[in-house]
Amino acid sequence: MSDTSTRERYPDTMQAVSPTTTGVAFLARPGRPAVVARTLVELAGPTRGVVELPVRLMWNAERTFDLGDPDQLLWMYENVLRETTRAEDLRVLINGRTLRRVWRLLNLPRGVRQAWESRHRGLRAA
């Protein structure tokens, strides 16, 4: 079979496409789109105290986080941003001001970081 006949039978499906122009979701993990809040203002989660994550966000028996401990705060935010499938989780567990403050310190999957930074451009400079 010649090169020409192969191209006619199999269209070029490996084109680079921008997710922002096509609506293709950034992935938190294979098969799971990252969930992003519409605005940072709507993120009204706690800024102090102890928070216990639901099992669907943290499968470990140790699901409580003291927000006064910087390492625990980062670990909680990373888990919520990576694991959530609901915008409501973001609204009640993440605080917009705190998110902006710790954004660069968070260890997030590339798809999660890209999704948030494409919607909230100010996070890129945070």
Side-chain angles (χ1 to χ4, degrees), residues 19-104:
T20 56
T21 59
T22 63
V24 174
F26 292 104
L27 299 179
R29 64 174 64 206
R32 181 184 293 173
V35 179
V36 178
R38 284 183 283 158
T39 68
L40 295 181
V41 174
E42 73 183 280
L43 303 177
T47 58
R48 60 187 170 180
V50 176
V51 174
E52 182 173 348
L53 294 183
V55 174
R56 64 187 155 67
L57 295 178
M58 182 77 171
W59 305 296
N60 192 330
E62 296 294 322
R63 295 188 321 271
T64 58
F65 299 86
D66 179 355
L67 300 181
D69 180 325
D71 291 332
Q72 287 188 31
L73 175 112
L74 293 175
W75 181 232
M76 186 193 97
Y77 272 44
E78 291 165 356
N79 277 281
V80 172
L81 294 170
R82 184 181 59 244
E83 300 299 332
T84 192
T85 58
R86 306 172 183 182
E88 185 61 21
D89 288 337
L90 299 172
R91 288 186 206 104
V92 300
L93 294 170
I94 302 293
N95 179 276
R97 283 186 175 168
T98 302
L99 179 64
R100 181 181 287 279
R101 180 174 53 81
V102 301
W103 181 251
R104 285 286 160 221

